[in-house]
Amino acid sequence: MCTTCGCGPDNVRIEGAQMREHSHGHEHAHGHDHGHAHAHAHPHEHEHAHNHDHAHEHNHAPGRRVRIEQDILRENDRYALANRTRLRAHGAFALNLVSSPGSGKTSLLVRTIEALKDELAIAVIEGDQQTSNDAERVRAAGAPAVQINTGKGCHLDAHMVGHALDRLPPLDNSLLLIENVGNLVCPASFDLGEAHKVVVLSVTEGEDKPLKYPDMFAAADLMLLNKTDLLPHLDFDVDAALDYARRVNPRIQALCVSARSGEGFAQWLDWIRAGCGAARALRPDAR
């Protein structure tokens, strides 16, 4: 359970996978029919047949709540490390796209896929509470996608992503795009095994979002300021938005883009290409 917001793992569904309420029963771990070695080992030395027994304890004394949250994030980090090891072994470049609902993440993904699908192998993991609408849009654009429905949950975690990786084609030298659930709070705390978090801020939102949600902008390596084609019709201060983001995170990079018009996409695509090249160079068998 997420101790920040109280969401739990109930009703998590991943296309083609058996999750059984995300119980860590690992029914998927021993009967793989995949042809790969599968570095996503879900560190099975956990002594936990607990089905998250600790989840109900979040209403107890404040000290116990802090400990429980630390335990949850520590366990997530173990799965994230397994995901990262697996992705590195394949030379895959993974991005975790995070934002408020309605920022245009899926439109960005679709345009990105259409621009790069002839030069890069691309796969997508889609996170939403319900529906497979976004995964269907991604597939129509030309990339394989696995939909994760989080049910009552407000974010993806590394264990869910590990299951989804099992359902995707081989990831050799590929670009993996993970579209997180629309939420600027909890996804900031959960490492999925990605190379970078990319936060998408739309010009239809307030330019002070980085100050209101500092943890997310502090965790991100790149900010995409999206829907810039609408700027002539809005009272949005681009310079202020960039300044606020850099106050929170001086190292954050920023690009102004429009998924509709294509403005700024050349720089975004070049950033991805550079990341893919770096990921291929880190592959253990790279020469």
Side-chain angles (χ1 to χ4, degrees), residues 76-236:
N76 180 80
D77 288 347
R78 290 159 66 94
Y79 288 119
L81 177 60
N83 291 344
R84 184 168 286 110
T85 301
R86 177 181 184 178
L87 292 166
R88 177 172 291 191
H90 286 277
F93 183 53
L95 299 176
N96 178 6
L97 276 73
V98 292
S99 77
S100 301
S103 68
K105 290 195 306 299
T106 309
S107 295
L108 276 165
L109 287 185
V110 167
R111 192 174 187 111
T112 301
I113 291 163
E114 291 172 345
L116 293 175
K117 64 183 178 182
D118 292 334
E119 61 179 282
L120 291 173
I122 305 174
V124 176
I125 296 173
E126 281 288 347
D128 285 298
Q129 285 192 304
Q130 299 294 341
T131 84
S132 60
N133 294 349
D134 289 350
E136 291 167 5
R137 288 180 63 187
V138 165
R139 292 177 192 129
V146 172
Q147 180 75 52
I148 300 176
N149 289 133
T150 59
K152 296 178 181 179
C154 65
H155 59 272
L156 297 178
D157 66 30
H159 185 243
M160 299 175 195
V161 168
H163 277 280
L165 288 173
D166 292 341
R167 317 311 305 175
L168 288 169
L171 297 171
D172 293 337
N173 300 329
S174 65
L175 170 64
L176 175 65
L177 299 169
I178 304 169
E179 182 175 1
N180 218 313
V181 178
N183 177 2
L184 281 176
V185 182
C186 296
S189 299
F190 285 82
D191 181 7
L192 306 181
E194 72 272 12
H196 302 285
K197 282 185 174 66
V198 177
V199 62
V200 182
L201 174 63
S202 166
V203 301
T204 56
E205 305 172 67
E207 57 269 288
D208 60 349
K209 277 288 177 70
L211 301 181
K212 291 182 175 180
Y213 301 93
D215 287 353
M216 180 59 78
F217 288 83
D221 294 312
L222 177 67
M223 179 177 77
L224 296 179
L225 188 59
N226 191 30
K227 303 187 182 181
T228 54
D229 57 293
L230 296 177
L231 282 171
H233 312 289
L234 299 171
D235 182 18
F236 183 93

Side-chain angles (χ1 to χ4, degrees), residues 111 227-229 231 256-267:
R111 192 174 187 111
K227 303 187 182 181
T228 54
D229 57 293
L231 282 171
C256 296
V257 299
S258 168
R260 182 176 182 181
S261 71
E263 178 186 348
F265 252 69
Q267 293 90 339

